[in-house]
Each structure stands twice: as C-alpha cells, then as structure tokens.
Amino acid sequence: MPAETSQTVATRGAKTVRPAVAARPRKAPRARVVGAQALPLNQILSGDCIERMNAMPEGSVDMIFADPPYNLQLRGDLHRPDNSKVDAVDDAWDRFDGFAAYDRFSRAWLKAARRVLKPGGTMWVIGSYHNIFRVGAALQDEGFWILNDIVWRKSNPMPNFRGRRFTNAHETLIWAARDEGGKYTFNYEALKSLNDGVQMRSDWVLPICSGGERLKDEAGRKVHPTQKPEALLHRIILGATQPGDVILDPFFGSGTTGAAARRLGRAWIGIEREEAYRTAAAKRIAEVKPYDMEALQTTRSRRAAPRIPFGQVVERGMLRPGMVLSSADGRRKAKLRADATLSADGTTGSIHQVGAAVQGAPSCNGWTFWHFEKDGALVPIDWLRQQIQAEAEA
Ligand SMILES: C[S@@+](CC[C@H](N)C(=O)[O-])C[C@H]1O[C@@H](n2cnc3c(N)ncnc32)[C@H](O)[C@@H]1O
C-alpha cells in the first residue's frame, strides 16, 4: 500500500472540510460506503494509482477521466528560434524504458481502472500520437468497449519550432464503456443545448489552458506542465455523468477533474504521486464555488423521461371524454373517447393514427398535433404529459 496520506477539500452538502496539507491536522474525510469498504470521496490520494485503485471497492465509480503519462521520450532540450528553452514535458513521471515498459504500465492501470468502474460506467483517456494508439489497443484488450474517439483541436497550439513537421494541434480522447452493450450515461440533449441546439460532434475546438486558469508558483512558473483546460472537463462531465456521480482521476496532476467535478456537483477521487501537485490541486479545488443545484439541472433526453401513455391523461380527468381536440390552426377536429382513442370523419384510433389520418400524412406525433382549450388559448396535449412527468420526477 502507498503511504496513507490524502487531501480532502471542502465538499458539497452539510459537511465542509478544509484542504489538508501535511502540517495541518486532518478532519474526518467524507466517505460513501460500498459493500464493506468506504469510498474516499473528494480526496486526493497519494502514491501509485495502480495500488490505490486495487485497494478501492470493486464497481464503485461512475466515470474515470485518465490523463496518463505521454511517454514523450524527449531527447535533449527543445529551443525556440530565439534560443529560449521550450517548457516541454521532460519530468521523471513521463519516462519509461521503451514501449514495452509503457505497455506493461498501461495494461496494469487499465485493468485496475476497469475493476473499480460500475457496470454502466465509462472511461475517458486523453493522449497524443505518442501514446494514444498504444493505450487504445490496450484498453480494447482489457475488455473496454470504445464508444467514440474525440479530437480536441487546440485553437491556440504551440507552433512547431523547427518547422520539420506539422504543428501538433490536437489531442485524442477515447471514450469507452466498461463492457460491450453496457448501459451508460450520455446526456445527449444537454450536450446539444451546450452546442446551440446542434448535435454535438466528435471534433471539439477548445483553447489550451492559459491565462488566469493556469496555475503558477510564486516565481511565475507553471505548477504543472500538462494542466488541462477546465472547459474540456466541463463538457465531458456534463455529457457523461449525473449530479452526485463519482468521478475518479488516477493521474490527477493539478486537479482539473476535481475542480470541474466540484463545480458541477459531482463527487470526485484523485490519485497523484507527486506531493507538489497534490498540494496545488487541493488548494485549487478548495477555492472552487459549486454551482447551485437548480443550475445543475440539464436538458433531459425524451428517451430518459418516463413514458406516459395518453390514457393516463384521460384516466386522471385532465381531459374529459366527449370533448373536442383540434389542430393548432383549429381546422382539424376530433372527439375524445373514454378509452383515450379519438374519432374524426369516421376514423377512430390513437392520437397519432387519427392525427395522421386527418392530414392524409403517413405519420403524426399526436402529442404535439392535438390541442385543447385552456384559458381561451389552444395548448398542445403534450403540456399535460409534461405535468405528469414533472410530478413523477419531483
Ligand atoms: C499528464 S499529467 C495529468 C495532468 C492533469 N490532467 C491536469 O490537468 O493537471 C499525469 C500526472 O500523473 C501523475 N502520475 C504519473 N504516474 C503516476 C502513477 N503511477 N500514479 C499516480 N500518479 C501518476 C504525474 O505525476 C502527473 O501529474
């Protein structure tokens, strides 16, 4: 087991815990019990992520975001045309003895990650051309099922200083379900709303982390060389989890996942082996102000809403048998019957069938076609269905 240290930051809900740093006595961490084991929620665990994940309860987290070492294998310093040194990733955590060692590491952490995912859980892995193909093959071998790959196109990439290759302007994210055919969370409508009502595509244009968001030390140096933008995590978390879900990041770095999760009302667990990053991440997350619960309600997919048959509207007396329903322009009319069918011009059938028949159309959504009179105005009968749905979800 790694050394028993963890950092807890202020959480949603009743209990508020300040960030713990080594010299300060820690308060009891918030935890959720899974089976016989407690889940260390809203904490940064120290040490190796494989050991840490192996010590966590099986099937306990809803989503994993992993930003593993890139294995960049940089040889020598990189300089700009003005001879200044490029702040590239040459840290010890990114060094491996070749591809075989990197693959062994990838398979080990992927296996551990898959064990802690719930059956309906998904995992996101981000990487560059240096590692993403190797990680992608390994995750398929471990049993994950790829749902999408996303190209994150950087709107402000670092130029290729030597001019010997294309500007490396994107990273790839793989989104994978724990199992083939498993049910998973995908907030389709919320993502569509985020994209001005247009279906969200798999190419995302977002800037790299810079400006005030970039963590700096007292000397103005970057705290972490590969800090990801919070906007990237906002989209991922909004699209693939629900408020209250548990998100694990085994390569926590500067804590971007924790910051975005806290803002969005999700619980999180971070694992990071470098103390300096853990300290910076804990401070960063403690300063995050979570959005209020009302702001966290997102547009729901119709498929996710409970199905309400039209019969319920009649059974509950919201519409009376014998009354007349009409189209929005009032030109087409039908009479409601006690079994929730309609009759019009000698045709009887469901709201959809009769709606189609009176228009001579192959199909019709009766919920939006038929209207009833309310306070002197024509209102679609779908409004009544929404009342029942809202009641069921309250
Ligand atoms: C690419 S960075 C992640 C950056 C992070 N997404 C952010 O926004 O700041 C990878 C991080 O994983 C950590 N790391 C590498 N190997 C690890 C291991 N075996 N266990 C835990 N952490 C590890 C490194 O120290 C580094 O901070």
Side-chain angles (χ1 to χ4, degrees):
M1 272 293 293
E4 268 305 318
T5 59
S6 65
Q7 282 159 317
T8 306
V9 301
T11 58
R12 281 170 298 115
K15 190 181 277 183
T16 301
V17 188
R18 295 194 56 202
V21 286
R24 189 179 272 157
R26 253 175 285 125
K27 296 191 181 172
R30 200 181 145 197
R32 190 175 296 174
V33 176
V34 179
Q37 280 174 281
L39 207 51
L41 295 186
N42 308 318
Q43 294 181 50
I44 308 172
L45 309 179
S46 64
D48 175 58
C49 66
I50 300 166
E51 289 179 38
R52 282 296 197 172
M53 286 191 281
N54 284 340
M56 281 170 58
E58 197 175 331
S60 54
V61 307
D62 298 279
M63 194 195 96
I64 295 175
F65 176 82
D67 182 7
Y70 293 83
N71 190 23
L72 286 190
Q73 301 182 300
L74 289 179
R75 292 181 178 85
D77 289 343
L78 194 56
H79 291 91
R80 297 187 180 85
D82 66 3
N83 236 8
S84 59
K85 191 172 161 242
V86 175
D87 194 5
V89 184
D90 54 0
D91 307 65
W93 57 258
D94 201 50
R95 283 186 218 126
F96 291 83
D97 291 334
F99 288 138
Y102 186 75
D103 290 347
R104 275 195 299 279
F105 168 71
S106 298
R107 285 174 202 284
W109 78 255
L110 285 163
K111 189 185 282 300
R114 189 159 178 271
R115 193 189 71 83
V116 297
L117 258 190
K118 289 182 184 171
T122 60
M123 180 178 70
W124 293 77
V125 188
I126 186 168
S128 62
Y129 68 85
H130 308 86
N131 67 332
I132 198 67
F133 302 108
R134 311 194 78 82
V135 174
L139 71 82
Q140 284 181 319
D141 290 346
E142 290 302 324
F144 285 99
W145 186 253
I146 296 182
L147 298 167
N148 274 119
D149 68 323
I150 305 287
V151 171
W152 165 32
R153 185 157 83 72
K154 301 173 182 179
S155 50
N156 52 348
M158 192 157 73
N160 184 283
F161 293 110
R162 292 188 186 136
R164 303 247 287 271
R165 296 189 195 181
F166 298 102
T167 304
N168 188 16
H170 76 276
E171 290 192 32
T172 302
L173 292 123
I174 297 175
W175 182 38
R178 199 192 78 163
D179 304 291
E180 179 181 359
K183 275 196 166 178
Y184 54 87
T185 299
F186 180 52
N187 299 322
Y188 171 83
E189 294 293 343
L191 288 170
K192 193 171 160 187
S193 302
L194 200 65
N195 197 33
D196 279 349
V198 179
Q199 192 171 77
M200 185 68 83
R201 297 163 30 136
S202 62
D203 47 349
W204 301 356
V205 183
L206 295 167
I208 60 170
C209 181
S210 58
E213 189 186 333
R214 188 93 210 193
L215 301 189
K216 301 264 175 64
D217 63 16
E218 295 81 36
R221 288 181 303 247
K222 291 175 191 167
V223 166
H224 197 289
T226 68
Q227 182 182 339
K228 296 296 173 294
E230 256 187 73
L232 189 70
L233 270 300
H234 179 99
R235 191 174 294 186
I236 289 170
I237 291 172
L238 196 85
T241 64
Q242 304 295 355
D245 277 1
V246 179
I247 300 171
L248 168 70
D249 184 336
F251 303 100
F252 205 55
S254 65
T256 310
T257 304
R262 181 163 149 74
R263 225 181 278 289
L264 288 167
R266 275 68 169 171
W268 55 271
I269 301 167
I271 309 174
E272 172 55 55
R273 67 181 197 186
E274 304 287 334
E275 189 182 357
Y277 298 155
R278 290 197 301 275
T279 304
K283 181 170 177 294
R284 173 187 186 182
I285 298 168
E287 285 165 7
V288 165
K289 197 166 175 298
Y291 300 141
D292 64 46
M293 280 314 283
E294 198 186 331
L296 292 179
Q297 301 305 316
T298 55
T299 315
R300 295 191 56 193
S301 140
R302 282 190 185 276
R303 271 173 287 174
R307 203 183 86 77
I308 311 289
F310 179 59
Q312 272 206 30
V313 171
V314 179
E315 281 170 345
R316 287 167 168 243
M318 296 167 106
L319 294 177
R320 237 173 344 94
M323 70 185 288
V324 171
L325 301 181
S326 64
S327 56
D329 58 9
R331 282 171 46 214
R332 308 223 168 68
K333 297 193 187 303
K335 194 174 258 187
L336 177 60
R337 308 193 316 172
D339 64 354
T341 56
L342 301 185
S343 75
D345 310 332
T347 307
T348 57
S350 71
I351 49 172
H352 313 296
Q353 289 165 334
V354 176
V358 297
Q359 298 178 84
S363 63
C364 164
N365 179 352
W367 285 108
T368 49
F369 179 75
W370 293 111
H371 292 60
F372 69 106
E373 205 183 301
K374 183 175 185 296
D375 305 327
L378 284 178
V379 176
I381 57 174
D382 199 39
W383 184 81
L384 298 168
R385 175 168 68 165
Q386 287 168 21
Q387 305 305 303
I388 301 176
Q389 274 166 348
E391 202 182 291
E393 286 165 11

